[in-house]
Amino acid sequence: MKLKTFVSICCLLVTLGFAAYLDSPYSFINKDFAYSTDQPVMVQPVDVEPSPDVPVLEEKLINTEKVDGYIVETYEEYEVYKDKDGNVLKSEPTGKIDTLQYWNSQQQP
């Protein structure tokens, strides 16, 4: 009985050890992957400007009102097309409306 338990534990440890080896960067499965480099990586910044064809989504405040001690702000989403200098060429509403409600702590009793 003790021999069966000892053999089972040894098989389990060998299996776990082999699985750990396969998961390590030193195994034959991962030999083609570099986990560290000898040469430093050179990164050069690239200035990317938004294309005038692609709109930028912006939310604009439409309305502000007081309701039951709360301030309710209504925003509408717009597609804004800009040129390379940042000037607005065209602004179109998307139809999406969001509301923001928060407590007015400065109200008079």
Side-chain angles (χ1 to χ4, degrees), residues 40-88:
V41 177
M42 298 297 291
V43 178
Q44 297 176 352
V46 177
D47 292 332
V48 177
E49 303 214 5
S51 170
D53 303 349
V54 179
V56 176
L57 297 176
E58 292 182 1
E59 288 190 342
K60 295 182 182 179
L61 180 64
I62 298 173
N63 188 18
T64 302
E65 59 186 355
K66 293 181 182 180
V67 179
D68 296 329
Y70 289 93
I71 297 176
V72 179
E73 295 178 344
T74 306
Y75 293 89
E76 186 171 9
E77 186 178 68
Y78 283 82
E79 289 181 348
V80 179
Y81 295 87
K82 296 182 180 181
D83 62 4
K84 65 179 180 178
D85 296 327
N87 300 323
V88 176

Side-chain angles (χ1 to χ4, degrees), residues 27-43:
S27 73
F28 63 91
I29 295 174
N30 297 324
K31 69 179 180 181
D32 295 333
F33 299 104
Y35 289 97
S36 63
T37 61
D38 296 335
Q39 300 174 358
V41 177
M42 298 297 291
V43 178

